[in-house]
Amino acid sequence: TPASCYMPRNAIVFLNSREKVVGYIEICFECRRTRISSKQINAGISCEQKFEILRAYFARQGIKYGTSD
């Protein structure tokens, strides 16, 4: 059962050509919820596998905060 904490420790940040933040997807792996900054961003259908794929990807990139149990 997912927790109800929503304390996002990770995000996917979208930058424009001038490296200005134009959008983001906040991710809380603990309660498995997200928040999207704009309707222009389509995060697709929420599913259990997506969180595990993202967690593994972040960990492979060396991002430990928020991805380890």
Side-chain angles (χ1 to χ4, degrees):
T1 306
S4 60
C5 63
Y6 196 71
M7 294 193 53
R9 294 168 180 88
N10 301 97
I12 300 170
V13 179
F14 300 94
L15 306 174
N16 66 14
S17 61
R18 295 186 177 132
E19 296 192 15
K20 179 182 176 197
V21 174
V22 294
Y24 57 85
I25 302 172
E26 294 176 340
I27 303 167
C28 180
F29 288 113
E30 191 170 327
C31 68
R32 301 183 186 278
R33 294 190 323 186
T34 60
R35 185 175 299 153
I36 299 171
S37 66
S38 167
K39 291 184 180 189
Q40 294 176 323
I41 299 171
N42 181 350
I45 298 169
S46 183
C47 67
E48 200 66 26
Q49 295 85 359
K50 185 185 294 186
F51 281 99
E52 291 311 313
I53 291 167
L54 283 171
R55 182 194 302 260
Y57 176 77
F58 279 35
R60 282 193 311 274
Q61 300 308 308
I63 301 168
K64 295 178 183 176
Y65 187 71
T67 61
S68 58
D69 294 331

